[in-house]
Structures are given as structure tokens and as C-alpha cells.
Amino acid sequence: MAKRQSWWLWAAAALAYVFLYLPLVIVVVYSFNDSKLNAEWVGFTLDWYHKLFNNREMLVAARNSMVIGVVSAVLATFFGALAGIAMHRYKLRLLPFLVLTPIAIPEILMGVSLLIFFVLLNVTLGMTSIILAHVAFCIGFVAIVVRARMQGMDNSLVEAARDLGATPWQAFRLVTLPQIMPGILAGGLMAFTLSIDDFVITFFTAGVGSSTLPLQIYSMIKIAVTPEVNAISTLLMVLTLCLIVLVSKVSPGALRAE
């Protein structure tokens, strides 16, 4: 009976992984397909990547997405880490509500509310409005990761540092910060991924001339999903995987739950 249950468990896990990763494999494979249609495999080619790197609109959108993603991730990581530390140290009922509400509400509501907010403040829609919107959206995710890391930290080390004469800032910089750094890196990676991948909030807060990769891809697939779209999707996946590997090398515990 135990072997039978184990077999069904492995089969269910295999089906789940196939469901998750098979579409990604198809996207990668068809980005090298020598045909404008994704209906059948014709032959191997790199022409779609060549056309992609000569597509000015796509390159501008990629540059905008990278700038927005990096700036948003840095700001969201900084403020999210502070929020996560505050939620762990100070048991205030209102603070978690304020920090985590952007995660709970639907993205379309978040986008509409931010659009109305920017209009009321007479903020010109563009790169700045997108960055502010992404920071507001990503802070909660970083705060959750950092708070979880704080809860697994050994507080006796901080107390020992204080007993040995360390100031509060020294205890935080030399003891607390190294312990929560894996959580900060993981939160930063999550913020960058959410920012560079976001469509709904960006759609409402983007202005003229501030197109991002998700918006550009959306405008392209209105006609058909060409291998050029598959090519840019493949590059995005490679970028994400490289970031995951980089974080795992810099801080091996960053992607672990403990």
C-alpha cells in the first residue's frame, strides 16, 4: 500500500511539473522555428533573434523595463526590508495592514487607484509613475520575506552583542543584517521579477513613450504570436534563471525557506 501511494504521488508530481514547464519548453523551442507560424516545426534558425535585436521598439521597451525593474527593486527592497523589520519588532496592528494591503487587493484595482492618485497630484504619467507604482506594489512582498527571515533569527546573538558593548546600530549592522541578508536578496529578486513582468499596473500608469516589454508584447500578440515574441520570452526566462543562480551563489540560503 505504501509503494502504491508513493507511485501515485510521484505520478501526480510529474504531471504537475509537465503542466508547469512544458509550455515554457515549447516557447523556447519555437523561438528557433524557421516559420512565422507556431503551428508546426519547419527548421532551425536564429533569424528571429536577429530581427529582435534590430527591432528598435522592442529594444527601447527592454531598456525601459530594465531601468524600471532595477530602480523599483532597489527602492522596494530598501523600504520593504525596513517594513519587515518593523513588523517583527513592533507588534502594531495597523502596520501589517498598511504594508500588506497592496498584495491582497486585485491588481486592476491597484492600477486604477494609482492612476486616479497620480491624476489628482497632477503627476505626468511615464517612467516615474511606473516606478512609484511598482515600488508600492512590491514593498509588501519584500516585507513578508524579510519578516519571515527575522522570525527565524536567533535574537540571543543580538543581545550578546549589546552585552559586549555594541551600539544598536553596530548590533544591527554586524549581527542582524548578515543574518537577514538572504531574505533581503530573495525579496529584491522577487521585486525585480514582479516589476519586469507586470502588465496590469503598468498598463494604467504608463504614459506616452514609456512602453515596457509586457506592453510591447501585448501589442504584438494582438495580431499573432510570432517567433519573435517567443524569442523575447526566452531571453526573459534566461535572465530570470541567471538572477536566481547569481543570488544562490552570492547567498546560498537566500532561496531557502528556513
Side-chain angles (χ1 to χ4, degrees), residues 130 198-199 202-203 206 210-220:
I130 297 175
D198 182 77
F199 171 79
T202 306
F203 180 80
S210 57
S211 178
T212 61
L213 275 178
L215 297 180
Q216 184 67 26
I217 293 174
Y218 174 73
S219 65
M220 294 174 64

Side-chain angles (χ1 to χ4, degrees), residues 140-162:
F141 291 95
V142 179
I144 288 177
V145 177
V146 174
R147 183 177 67 171
R149 190 71 185 184
M150 289 285 294
Q151 290 175 345
M153 187 181 68
D154 187 2
N155 293 322
S156 62
L157 297 177
V158 179
E159 297 174 357
R162 294 299 308 277

Side-chain angles (χ1 to χ4, degrees), residues 55-220:
N55 188 331
R56 184 179 180 278
E57 294 182 352
M58 186 66 76
L59 293 178
V60 171
R63 182 198 63 190
N64 292 341
S65 291
M66 289 299 297
V67 172
I68 293 171
V70 171
V71 176
S72 300
V74 171
L75 294 177
T77 302
F78 177 75
F79 291 109
L82 295 180
I85 295 171
M87 286 191 297
H88 174 73
R89 290 185 176 179
Y90 309 105
K91 308 302 180 180
L92 302 177
R93 295 182 179 180
L94 184 61
L95 183 59
F97 175 80
L98 294 176
V99 175
L100 304 181
T101 295
I103 300 177
I105 64 177
E107 281 195 53
I108 189 170
L109 178 59
M110 183 81 172
V112 172
S113 61
L114 286 170
L115 173 61
I116 296 174
F117 178 72
F118 291 142
V119 171
L120 290 176
L121 294 181
N122 199 24
V123 176
T124 303
L125 298 182
M127 296 279 286
T128 302
S129 62
I130 297 175
I131 291 174
L132 294 176
H134 286 191
V135 171
F137 174 67
C138 295
I139 283 178
F141 291 95
V142 179
I144 288 177
V145 177
V146 174
R147 183 177 67 171
R149 190 71 185 184
M150 289 285 294
Q151 290 175 345
M153 187 181 68
D154 187 2
N155 293 322
S156 62
L157 297 177
V158 179
E159 297 174 357
R162 294 299 308 277
D163 291 339
L164 293 174
T167 63
W169 167 246
Q170 289 176 332
F172 173 79
R173 180 171 60 88
L174 300 176
V175 179
T176 303
L177 187 59
Q179 292 189 76
I180 66 174
M181 184 57 68
I184 294 176
L185 292 176
L189 174 62
M190 181 182 297
F192 177 80
T193 304
L194 291 172
S195 175
I196 202 171
D197 187 53
D198 182 77
F199 171 79
V200 177
I201 296 177
T202 306
F203 180 80
F204 285 99
T205 57
V208 179
S210 57
S211 178
T212 61
L213 275 178
L215 297 180
Q216 184 67 26
I217 293 174
Y218 174 73
S219 65
M220 294 174 64

Side-chain angles (χ1 to χ4, degrees), residues 14-31 225 230 233-234 237:
L15 290 175
Y17 281 115
V18 169
F19 177 78
L20 289 174
Y21 292 105
L22 182 59
L24 300 179
V25 174
I26 293 175
V27 168
V28 174
V29 171
Y30 274 89
S31 67
V225 180
N230 295 336
S233 301
T234 301
M237 283 189 284

